[in-house]
Amino acid sequence: IVLHLNCKRILTKKNSGQTILVTGGATGLGKGMATMLSNLGAKVCIASRNVQALQDTSSEISEITKNEVFYYSMDIRDHEKV
C-alpha cells in the first residue's frame, strides 16, 4: 500500500508518460513495482539477468496493464555491459 501511494505521488497526469527502468524487474518486488508503474501510465523497461523470466514478466505485465513493457537482459554489477 505504501509503495502504491508513493508511486502515485511520483506519477501524476502531467508526467505519467515517463520512461522508468526497473532493475530486478523480472521477479519479486521489482516485478510488483514494474506492474504498478505500468498501471499508472509509465513506459516501463525491466532489466534482469534471466532472459526467460524477462520475456514472461514483460508479457504478463503487458497483458494486465495493456501497456507495452520493454525488457533488457543485463547484469548491473558489470558496468561495461550496462
Side-chain angles (χ1 to χ4, degrees):
I1 295 172
V2 173
L3 175 62
H4 181 69
L5 294 174
N6 286 335
C7 287
K8 278 194 166 183
R9 275 187 234 151
I10 293 168
L11 292 171
T12 63
K13 287 183 182 179
K14 210 168 35 171
N15 61 8
S16 67
Q18 288 184 0
T19 300
I20 298 175
L21 173 65
V22 180
T23 58
T27 60
L29 289 172
K31 180 179 178 180
M33 287 188 282
T35 303
M36 184 170 300
L37 290 164
S38 182
N39 255 330
L40 292 170
K43 295 176 185 173
V44 175
C45 303
I46 57 175
S48 179
R49 292 175 289 162
N50 185 328
V51 176
Q52 187 61 54
L54 283 167
Q55 291 170 339
D56 294 344
T57 298
S58 174
S59 296
E60 182 182 335
I61 295 172
S62 293
E63 205 171 299
I64 292 168
T65 66
K66 307 300 183 223
N67 295 320
E68 187 172 12
V69 176
F70 303 92
Y71 64 88
Y72 301 96
S73 176
M74 69 173 78
D75 183 349
I76 64 168
R77 297 173 296 179
D78 186 346
H79 296 270
E80 291 183 16
K81 292 186 178 179
V82 174

